[in-house]
Amino acid sequence: MTKRNRPWGHQEPRNESTNRTLHPDTLAIRGAMIRTGFGETSEAMFLTSGFTYDSAQQAEASFTEENDHYLYSRFANPTISMFEERLALMEGAESCHATGSGMSAMFASVAALVSQGDRVVASPAMFSSCYVVLTEILPKWGIQVEIIENNEPETWERALSSPAKAVFIETPSNPLLEIVDIAMVAKFAHRAGAQLIVDNVMASPLLQKPLEFGADIVMYSATKHIDGQGRVLGGAVLGTKKYVDEILKPFTRHTGPSLSPFNAWVLTKSLETMSLRVNKMNNSAFEIAQKLEALPGIKKVWYPFLDSHPGNALAKKQMTGGGTTIAIELDRPKAEVFEFLNRLEVIDISNNLGDSRSLITHPASTTHRRLDAATQAKMGITESTLRLSVGLEDPKDLFEDLSLAL
Ligand SMILES: *Cc1c(COP(=O)(O)O)cnc(C)c1O
């Protein structure tokens, strides 16, 4: 064995020359597979922190990038590469960089772009940790962040009439599923010289493709629909090769928010079933949202594909389904809302989402507790608001659980 680095050899993909366009469901199974010489069916898991070289010369050439050789798993690792390349193929993005959590993806996607004095503009409603990064952490380093008041075109136009470096939006938003017009914001963002970053976690890679509507960067918490089975944390940032290689990676290589190869392997296997899972969860969520609207005791139901949702037309323009999450406002005070939660027998009380298990949470006291009352009110969160993440159980059992508890 002369090549100490690759004792197993490396199996080249068959038929690489045919250049066919494959459906994302096919890419989810077959995209970016690296097979070793053992010819394993399932992707190999490279649980290694480092890599070795045949010679000092090869090590030097690898560091100067004359050689294509893995250096260290903080920078890149074959199992993580499979996950990144497969997700990029499915998203239709040039490049992807995976991170250890959704929050490290969000933080790196913005922080890598901005310098002291730069301006960032963001949509009004979002996941509370993203809000903390934008309003407390980045301003400490002299970044000016403006969270706008509402998603009206005039408000966006006004906010982006002066230069900005980045625009951050979450659509649908967590928890009230507010819809932001990606194409409209992209137009104003580009005019202001900004890159548009979309947190696409709530929609999942299956139901919304922000890059097709003019976004520059898409980020995910892979913890949610990508894993979708409540097992591992992970994150990903997707964009042009230039952004990922020249802006994002120089930031993450040294700050180190790396994904573990084990988690990357779990997430790679999860991509194979994501379309089956998210489609079923999306269909169940729509069915349950419609039935909930007719139930006494429920003041309001927010679900993007319901006619009653204020962003319905826009959601139908930029999403292929309303998503897996429903927001509900009960016609009851907090104590009775808690009693309702405690009476549920199938649905778990949990603040995660996008899971195969249906999960329900009270955002005001859990996920969005970190925000003050005025900010919660601005986002439309009250003491009687609940967020339901619809899982893979039979939708009739889920609806019965909700109606019996009411
Ligand atoms: C969960 C979530 C995140 C953060 O992801 P983690 O993997 O928990 O770090 C970011 N944005 C949205 C919309 C989320 O729901």
Side-chain angles (χ1 to χ4, degrees), residues 349-371:
I349 302 171
S350 172
N351 44 280
N352 197 5
L353 61 89
D355 197 281
S356 52
R357 283 154 214 275
S358 295
L359 308 173
I360 195 163
T361 195
H362 179 254
S365 61
T366 62
T367 54
H368 290 68
R369 161 178 205 98
R370 184 75 175 67
L371 308 178

